Amino acid sequence: MKRIPILSLLLIMSAAALLTAQEMPADRAQMDALIGEDLAVPAAETYSLTVEQAVDLALENNLSLVGEEADLRIKKRARDTAWNVLIPSVTASSTLSRFDEPTSPSFGAPEVNGSLSASMNFSLTLTPQLWYGFRSTEIDYQLGRISKAQAEQDIRTNVKKQFYALLTQEEQIKILELQQRSLEKRFDQASTNYDFGLVDEYTKLSAQVALENFKPQVEIARDGYEQSLLGFKLSLGVNLDSQLDLQGSIDVDLKPYDADQLSDAYLLDRLDIQNLVTNLQSLENLRRVNINGLVPSLTFGYGLSQSFQPDPWEEFSLSGDDWEPGNSDKVFSITLSLSLSELLPVSRSMNSIKDTADQKEALRANLQQALEGAELEILTAVQNINKSIQVIRAKELNVELAERAYDLAEESYNAGGRSLLEVEDAEDNLQEARFELLSEKVNYINGLIDLEAAINRSIEEIE
């Protein structure tokens, strides 16, 4: 007897699972249709991008901004239509009834078999809270704008750093390829000298071993670049099969900055500071909402009603005469109301007022801490930039000296005055000097990008 309900339950569950499975997309085409053309993965293309074009492309294709933009539209709609609370509340009702036994409402009056009544009521409540309700929608919209701007700034910073990191990897590959060509040239020279009996076989094999040992470094660098390029394509929101041609250089004009001047001019423009200030305004507005909830509210009302008393099943024909025996009422009212219980010191409104005051105090402390942290962030970014300028100038001189030393060592080696090991050491020193200069240039560029985020301004705007 118990198996039948269990079997039925299993059949129902199986049918539900089957229906659910049928609702799932069967292939990528159905999935793309579900997502929509505007959010589907774009087709592979060829892009030639500067750093600013890369940022614009990432902002256009970034899916995380879709949610931010949708949320901002909701908040903007709430702000633009906040006045709708001033639209009176309107209700309409109608009642049709018939009695089991006819009744005589009063002596000499006709019997009543039923009734038909209709009414319409208008009401509007005015309170000081309405103004602060309007204000809350505006503040909420401003917070949404700040949130969207912060998301855009994070994308901008990330894309710029990825862009210049790829340019750096390209330069590193060029340095490695240049060194590989030097090793190939040296091996060819050693082979020629060996064929003419000018060097022994050990010298030839040493040059060949150095060349073969170096080749994997170039391949590893190229593989690393391809992996970084895939990550960059994901950040841009383009098809992974797309071809990217990056138009840019890590050569920059070195310029020092003054931290105090930047802090005085742009500290309050930071998005995190704006967010905290706006949240303080929101808490103050909430406090005023709670306070004004303690004052009386004024309600205006107006009602219309009409009733019909003869038998609604037999005598009602919707003609004008049918309504003559009925009653018509028009009522206008003004109501002043005050919640006395909320005036108690332990009421919900009073506790909300106190809670808001404590939250404001905590948020003010957070704001002061954020201001101090912002000043430190700007100072650190400027110090890193100014330090990189000095290091770059020193590294440029070091590269010039290393290039000169390598040229002299190679000339002496070709003339038989230097050993292969001495030339390799000179080349290693040159490669290291070039890499160090390249790394410091990237540090300088990243410092500029961090400074832009710290002051919420592009470098071009402060130059």
Side-chain angles (χ1 to χ4, degrees):
M1 295 297 293
K2 295 182 179 180
R3 292 182 179 179
I4 296 178
I6 295 177
L7 181 59
S8 301
L9 179 61
L10 290 175
L11 290 174
I12 294 174
M13 293 176 63
S14 300
L18 181 60
L19 290 175
T20 303
Q22 291 175 347
E23 294 176 356
M24 294 296 294
D27 52 26
R28 185 55 187 262
Q30 292 183 0
M31 179 65 75
D32 290 342
L34 179 64
I35 294 174
E37 293 182 359
D38 55 334
L39 297 180
V41 178
E45 297 183 30
T46 299
Y47 299 90
S48 179
L49 301 172
T50 64
V51 63
E52 293 301 331
Q53 290 172 336
V55 169
D56 293 339
L57 184 61
L59 292 175
E60 179 183 351
N61 295 334
N62 191 274
L63 296 179
S64 65
L65 289 180
V66 175
E68 293 285 348
E69 292 173 355
D71 184 60
L72 188 60
R73 289 196 299 269
I74 293 172
K75 293 180 178 181
K76 184 178 185 298
R77 190 179 302 113
R79 183 201 64 175
D80 295 342
T81 59
W83 56 269
N84 58 16
V85 296
L86 298 178
I87 299 176
S89 174
V90 182
T91 59
S93 63
S94 177
T95 302
L96 176 64
S97 60
R98 192 174 189 279
F99 307 138
D100 291 338
E101 299 291 340
T103 60
S104 300
S106 60
F107 180 77
E111 291 185 346
V112 177
N113 295 318
S115 66
L116 173 66
S117 62
S119 65
M120 183 173 292
N121 296 292
F122 303 81
S123 66
L124 175 63
T125 300
L126 299 179
T127 173
Q129 285 182 310
L130 292 178
W131 162 251
Y132 297 105
F134 299 152
R135 177 63 177 158
S136 67
T137 60
E138 174 63 28
I139 293 175
D140 195 38
Y141 175 67
Q142 293 300 327
L143 287 173
R145 292 182 59 186
I146 294 173
S147 177
K148 181 174 179 289
Q150 184 65 66
E152 292 175 345
Q153 185 183 87
D154 293 341
I155 294 171
R156 186 177 294 107
T157 298
N158 180 55
V159 169
K160 283 186 175 183
K161 288 189 174 183
Q162 285 184 292
F163 184 91
Y164 285 109
L166 285 170
L167 292 182
T168 302
Q169 288 181 283
E170 289 179 353
E171 292 296 324
Q172 290 173 341
I173 292 173
K174 290 178 182 178
I175 293 174
L176 292 173
E177 290 174 342
L178 181 61
Q179 186 175 4
Q180 181 173 334
R181 286 195 294 269
S182 297
L183 290 171
E184 291 172 349
K185 179 181 176 182
R186 195 173 302 124
F187 171 65
D188 292 339
Q189 181 67 34
S191 298
T192 301
N193 291 340
Y194 174 75
D195 293 338
F196 284 97
L198 300 178
V199 297
D200 56 10
E201 185 178 5
Y202 174 79
T203 302
K204 173 187 174 182
L205 291 176
S206 296
Q208 185 177 7
V209 169
L211 173 60
E212 297 300 327
N213 286 338
F214 187 80
K215 286 181 179 179
Q217 297 185 35
V218 181
E219 295 303 321
I220 291 174
R222 289 171 179 165
D223 290 341
Y225 175 80
E226 292 298 327
Q227 292 178 5
S228 299
L229 193 60
L230 287 175
F232 188 57
K233 291 176 182 178
L234 286 175
S235 297
L236 297 181
V238 301
N239 193 295
L240 296 182
D241 293 328
S242 298
Q243 300 298 318
L244 299 184
D245 181 18
L246 305 185
Q247 303 294 320
S249 170
I250 60 171
D251 293 327
V252 292
D253 296 330
L254 303 180
K255 177 183 177 180
Y257 294 91
D258 183 85
D260 293 334
Q261 181 181 0
L262 293 176
S263 294
D264 293 339
Y266 304 111
L267 184 65
L268 298 183
D269 292 337
R270 287 172 55 98
L271 294 174
D272 57 342
I273 301 300
Q274 293 181 31
N275 183 70
L276 288 171
V277 170
T278 308
N279 273 290
L280 269 176
Q281 295 173 348
S282 178
L283 284 176
E284 174 60 23
N285 189 74
L286 178 60
R287 187 182 72 87
R288 293 180 180 273
V289 168
N290 291 327
I291 290 176
N292 284 276
L294 302 178
V295 302
S297 62
L298 193 62
T299 302
F300 297 90
Y302 184 72
L304 297 172
S305 64
Q306 179 73 49
S307 62
F308 169 75
Q309 290 184 340
D311 189 348
W313 306 111
E314 299 178 0
E315 303 179 34
F316 182 57
S317 63
L318 294 178
S319 65
D321 296 339
D322 289 337
W323 293 91
E324 291 180 358
N327 299 318
S328 177
D329 294 317
K330 299 179 181 179
V331 179
F332 176 76
S333 63
I334 300 178
T335 305
L336 187 67
S337 60
L338 174 65
S339 176
L340 298 179
S341 60
E342 292 300 319
L343 297 176
L344 296 174
V346 294
S347 67
R348 182 177 61 183
S349 296
M350 289 296 186
N351 285 334
S352 297
I353 294 172
K354 295 173 184 177
D355 291 344
T356 305
D358 291 336
Q359 291 170 0
K360 283 185 60 180
E361 183 178 357
L363 195 56
R364 281 195 298 266
N366 291 340
L367 177 59
Q368 179 60 33
Q369 187 178 12
L371 289 170
E372 295 173 357
E375 289 183 1
L376 179 60
E377 184 178 344
I378 294 174
L379 176 61
T380 301
V382 169
Q383 287 178 343
N384 290 337
I385 290 172
N386 295 339
K387 180 189 70 175
S388 291
I389 293 175
Q390 298 177 355
V391 175
I392 288 173
R393 289 170 178 167
K395 294 298 180 182
E396 287 176 339
L397 178 59
N398 191 31
V399 169
E400 293 178 3
L401 296 175
E403 287 177 346
R404 179 58 179 163
Y406 170 70
D407 291 340
L408 292 174
E410 192 172 35
E411 291 175 4
S412 179
Y413 169 76
N414 293 334
R418 294 280 182 180
S419 66
L420 178 61
L421 181 59
E422 290 176 309
V423 178
E424 291 175 345
D425 289 341
E427 189 171 28
D428 289 341
N429 292 335
L430 175 57
Q431 179 187 8
E432 183 179 357
R434 287 172 174 170
F435 280 144
E436 289 180 354
L437 175 60
L438 190 61
S439 177
E440 199 57 45
K441 285 183 178 180
V442 176
N443 289 339
Y444 176 80
I445 293 175
N446 287 337
L448 293 179
I449 296 173
D450 290 335
L451 182 60
E452 286 181 336
I455 62 177
N456 195 27
R457 285 289 186 284
S458 67
I459 294 298
E460 290 76 12
E461 293 183 60
I462 63 177
E463 290 181 343

